[in-house]
Amino acid sequence: MENTQQRVGVIGGVRIPFCRNNTAYADVGNFGMSVKVLGALVERFGLHGVELGEVAMGAVIKHASDWNLAREALLSSGLAPTTPGITTARACGTSLDNAIVIANKIATGQIEAGIAGGSDTTSDVPIVYSQRLRKRLLAVNRAKTPLDKLRTAVRGFSLSELKPSFPGVAEPRTGMSMGEHCEKMAREWHIGREVQDRLALDSHRKLATAYEGGFFEDLVVPFRGVKRDGFLRPDTSMDKLAGLKPAFDKTSGLGTLTAGNSTGLSDGAAAVLLANEAWAAKRGLKIQAYLRDAEVAAVDFVHGEGLLMAPTIAVPRLLKRNGLSLQDFDFYEIHEAFAAQVLCTLRAWESPDYCKNRLGLDAPLGAIDPAKLNVNGSSLAAGHPFAATGARIVATLAKLLEQKGSGRGLISICTAGGMGVVAILERP
């Protein structure tokens, strides 16, 4: 296979406003939200009837019927039905991963253009039968005669078997929720409540300012009567945030993570169009930025490492490969799963001990300029439909770089399962 290593351009992206679960999108589901964002992308860039090389979409919380989500959604989007689709999942990194999948295919010349995205709903969650009832129903299906089926159905039956099972929010290996894990991280890195609330407040203020300034006019498509993210609270304050009770550690008196400095359960979808330069030029489309490189990493959270610290590992690998320092960026888009997670990450990069003993570096990566961090707000204010966040960030950062005219941006996303996905966007 010839490796042409073509540059990968980000043409642009769209998303629907992110909503709190059980509100405006409660009955839409992943398929409906995916169709909406793909259709909006088709409209924006004139892709009706166009065959793309690949559409990579994903969802974290999905029904078994959503196994072919990308393909089914694109068939309703206006794209040519000859466009292939692949459905993926890596928790909160899903749609950034999809951008990497599409970018790698473009870079190696396998395809010319593709779409990366994701959707998630915590309103329309899969509810499954108990294990005992599933086994009973399978046994009934295997039984040969009607009498055998009846006997199998009623033998030893208990009403408790009818109790449904909902998706779990805990890490299977530890039994702890992501918030409980992040509380441990906050204590390890000595991240207090006030700095977490301050970061959350800044996120709301910056997102509100970006909306008022029109930044999202071409990025956010109204849906179901919603025009702005349902989590956005322009009028919040440090006093209001300080009044919230701990959301995860409710008993020790030491809990610092609250509903105000943690992302809430969200519904939403986002997608971004990527292409090589020749394809974009042929269609008269401008490239906002280029996806230069990416990296993934994982940590051993089961045996003591912080669940959400994998980006601290991935970023220095990415920097080394590209001959860059942590300070060589104009924008930093660090996903705000929790304010504490962002602050732990920044503190780790400044720590001589962590950088030497865990990262194997001769010196700390150092501090970043706070004025360059999540300049238009991030997940704490916008919401976090797991698989949609990466595409939201890619589209936001690409537009920021286009507006600036040149520059470089770093994306960092932590995920469940102790993983991290990071990437570099640039505009020469």
Side-chain angles (χ1 to χ4, degrees), residues 42-128:
V42 167
E43 290 284 345
R44 180 177 172 189
F45 295 111
L47 302 177
H48 288 280
V50 174
E51 178 184 314
L52 298 180
E54 186 80 272
V55 171
M57 294 286 290
V60 178
I61 298 179
K62 56 182 181 289
H63 296 272
S65 58
D66 286 337
W67 69 271
N68 205 20
L69 179 65
R71 174 64 175 160
E72 292 299 329
L74 79 84
L75 287 172
S76 297
S77 70
L79 290 170
T82 49
T83 300
I86 181 172
T87 304
T88 71
R90 196 206 298 268
C92 316
T94 297
S95 52
L96 179 55
D97 265 308
N98 285 339
I100 297 167
V101 167
I102 297 297
N104 285 340
K105 289 190 174 188
I106 293 171
T108 55
Q110 295 177 32
I111 65 175
E112 294 182 293
I115 292 174
S119 69
D120 252 301
T121 173
T122 48
S123 299
D124 181 25
V125 298
I127 303 172
V128 299

